[in-house]
Each structure stands twice: as structure tokens, then as C-alpha cells.
Amino acid sequence: MYYKKFNDYLKEKYGGRIQKLAIDAGFTCPNRDGSKASGGCTFCNNQSFSPYAMTKQTVKDQIEKSMEFYKNRFKNVKGFLAYFQAFTNTYAPVEKLREVYDQAMSYPEVIGMSIGTRPDCVPEEVLDLIASYTVEKPEIWVEYGLQTAHFKTLRNINRAHGVADFVDAVLRTKKRSGIKICAHVILGLPGEDYEDMMETAKLIAALPIDGIKIHPLHIVKHTAMEKQYYRGEIKELDLKEYAKLAVDFLSYLPKDIIVHRITGEATEDELIAPYWCSPKYKMEVLKAIEEEFKLRNANKNLTLIA
């Protein structure tokens, strides 16, 4: 094993499979509703990766249907992690957030939650609320979408926040004991070269971050990037190129950082490019990354090999 995988971390800690339950709680984002910008991130179509994106099902219904599905599919499920995935899941008044989080945390089988959000949407009272769940539930994560450590890129992809917002959110979150932090990054964003991407890795390494999600840029339908792609403004990564980038990126990070994801997919109905970001190629992508580690004789410390 060349990096610490999230599934293995959970299995070791809880003695068996912990299954994530993807939830759409009906939130939006400040760069979608006009408070900071409109249109959302240029790469974003939540429906391409979230099974309940834009759903009208209640949080309760989503959790119960998902738990039933996974209990029938896997006989060794030890528990569940409620994953608030779609859009910005701290972007609401505290009482609304409390109502939503309480619903998820009310199930004994749910050992915690993972909250996907933006670094500019976590005021102190929201962090206090999230921290309050660590008393009863052992696995509380906040997943901050950084994507890149470069403000010019953040502006170009319409994130409508800066790198300083991310650093500030991480440091304020870590003042509360028990909350773990996962950072999201995208490799291959338009206008970024190798050094730019490795600079993002160095920023992650310099901060008290517990986990990482690394995604290759993939173009999906109904996004601003779809139009850019067809205009020839975006170069897609090939699989071998991504494997090298992912290994280099990981080599800058602390050896104990937990890798939640090392690739990303979109449904075949939504995916435009690259072809290997379809779910049916996931094992091929993971194999390419493993082969890249072997090729360099990389060790568990993930030492960068020039």
C-alpha cells in the first residue's frame, strides 16, 4: 500500500466496513445564488456525481433508503457515515443546519458525518455546532473545497473565494478538538502547469489537514467548462499523465494523511472528457497510479523521486 486509504482507515478503526451515505440536504452555494457570484463553479454539475443531487426526498428518506440498500448489498457493514455532499452544506442559518445534522446523527448505526462545504461558509457558530457532535459521534469531518492554491485560477473557475479563506477556515476549525479536515483539490485546471499543481500540494502539507481528495479535471455536461472544452480552451489530461501528477502530489504530503479519493468519475450520461473518468475505468486509473509508484520504487513515506 503506497498511501493511507480512507476505507482502510475506517476498517482498522471500526473493525469492518463503514459505508458513506451521500445526502443532498437542499442547500445551494454563495456563488450560485448571487450573494457572491452566479452560475456556480465552472466545472460543477452536482448531478454528475451525487445520486441525490437536486432530489426532493427528505434527509430521513435518503438515509433510510441508502442504509437499506447497503445492508442488502454488503453483509459486513459495521456502520454508516452521513455524507452531506451536494453543494455547500454549511450555507444556512445555524438552526436549519442543526435540524438537518440532528436527523442524520439520530441513527445509532451512523458513526459520524462528513460535511462538504466551502472555506468561506463556516462562521464560528457553525464550527461550534459541528464540534458539538464530536461528543457523541467519533467520526466528524469537514471537507473543504480548495481545488487550487492559486487565486487567479480560483477567480477563473468562479469559486468566488480566495486561498486565504481556506487557510483561515482550516486554522479556525482546528481550534475545535475532534473535527477532522479533508481538503479537495483538482489537478489539471485550465492555465495551471506542473509547478502550480505542486504548489497546491505544498500548501496542503503546510497546514493541519487530516485527509485529501484528489480529482483529475473532468468535463461534464451542463457546465461552463463544457463550452470552454468545445472551444478548445481546455486540455484534458491523459491517464498516464494524471498518474504521474497524483503520485508527485502525494509525495509532498505527510505520510499519515488519509487519502479519501485519488481519482474522480462522472456518470457516462454526464461525462464529456476524459473517457477514463467514467466509473467503468476506475480500477484502470487506480492500477495506473499503483504502477507509477512501483516504477519509481516509491516507499510508504512517499518520497518524491525526480
Side-chain angles (χ1 to χ4, degrees):
M1 184 175 69
Y2 300 108
Y3 51 91
K4 192 171 185 178
K5 300 175 184 178
F6 188 52
N7 286 342
D8 292 340
Y9 155 78
L10 291 174
K11 189 176 295 184
E12 291 170 10
K13 186 172 181 179
Y14 297 100
R17 183 185 185 93
I18 300 296
Q19 182 65 49
K20 269 191 171 183
L21 307 173
I23 300 167
D24 181 353
F27 299 116
T28 183
C29 302
N31 65 341
R32 298 177 71 91
D33 68 4
S35 66
K36 284 196 168 183
S38 59
C41 302
T42 60
F43 58 80
C44 184
N45 173 0
N46 265 260
Q47 202 156 359
S48 69
F49 59 81
S50 177
Y52 290 109
M54 311 300 288
T55 185
K56 293 185 178 180
Q57 296 183 41
T58 65
V59 169
K60 180 177 183 290
D61 285 343
Q62 292 176 56
I63 290 174
E64 292 180 357
K65 287 180 180 179
S66 293
M67 285 200 297
E68 182 181 5
F69 172 80
Y70 286 116
K71 284 177 180 178
N72 290 331
R73 183 177 180 185
F74 304 112
K75 302 305 179 186
N76 61 338
V77 176
K78 290 285 187 178
F80 298 94
L81 192 68
Y83 180 24
F84 292 96
Q85 181 180 21
F87 304 108
T88 303
N89 294 278
T90 58
Y91 187 47
V94 170
E95 288 312 309
K96 171 62 176 177
L97 296 176
R98 188 190 310 277
E99 176 188 341
V100 170
Y101 299 161
D102 280 355
Q103 287 183 59
M105 296 297 94
S106 66
Y107 296 88
E109 309 100 309
V110 174
I111 53 96
M113 60 182 168
S114 196
I115 302 168
T117 190
R118 292 163 51 99
D120 57 339
C121 292
V122 283
E124 296 296 318
E125 59 268 25
V126 169
L127 290 176
D128 288 340
L129 172 64
I130 295 170
S132 70
Y133 293 100
T134 65
V135 177
E136 299 292 335
K137 301 286 185 175
E139 207 64 38
I140 304 296
W141 288 81
V142 176
E143 300 192 17
Y144 286 126
L146 171 63
Q147 317 311 351
T148 175
H150 304 280
F151 179 75
K152 184 177 180 180
T153 307
L154 290 172
R155 182 178 59 200
N156 289 343
I157 63 175
N158 199 40
R159 287 292 292 179
H161 69 70
V163 181
D165 293 306
F166 176 76
V167 174
D168 173 67
V170 168
L171 297 180
R172 288 190 296 109
T173 302
K174 277 301 175 181
K175 290 180 180 178
R176 281 90 174 164
S177 63
I179 303 178
K180 302 176 185 70
I181 297 173
C182 177
H184 290 213
V185 300
I186 297 175
L187 302 184
L189 286 166
E192 294 204 349
D193 59 19
Y194 176 86
E195 286 77 15
D196 291 327
M197 289 180 263
M198 295 308 111
E199 191 66 21
T200 298
K202 293 173 187 177
L203 175 67
I204 298 295
L207 292 169
I209 290 171
D210 306 284
I212 185 76
K213 282 187 176 180
I214 306 172
H215 297 84
L217 178 67
H218 47 287
I219 313 303
V220 296
K221 295 177 182 177
H222 313 302
T223 63
M225 275 195 183
E226 176 186 11
K227 298 175 183 177
Q228 291 177 294
Y229 177 77
Y230 286 128
R231 290 197 300 262
E233 297 170 5
I234 297 177
K235 174 185 176 294
E236 64 183 272
L237 296 172
D238 66 39
L239 178 51
K240 288 186 178 180
E241 182 183 9
Y242 178 69
K244 292 177 180 178
L245 285 170
V247 172
D248 282 352
F249 195 98
L250 284 174
S251 70
Y252 281 103
L253 304 185
K255 64 181 180 180
D256 60 345
I257 199 165
I258 301 167
V259 180
H260 290 230
R261 289 186 69 90
I262 199 170
T263 185
E265 309 91 41
T267 64
E268 290 193 22
D269 289 341
E270 298 288 338
L271 181 65
I272 294 173
Y275 75 90
W276 49 268
C277 284
S278 163
K280 67 182 180 181
Y281 291 101
K282 181 176 181 179
M283 296 311 298
E284 187 175 327
V285 177
L286 297 177
K287 183 179 178 181
I289 292 169
E290 182 178 345
E291 289 300 319
E292 184 63 27
F293 274 115
K294 289 179 180 178
L295 181 65
R296 305 184 196 191
N297 194 29
N299 59 32
K300 290 184 180 180
N301 291 326
L302 302 176
T303 303
L304 181 65
I305 300 174

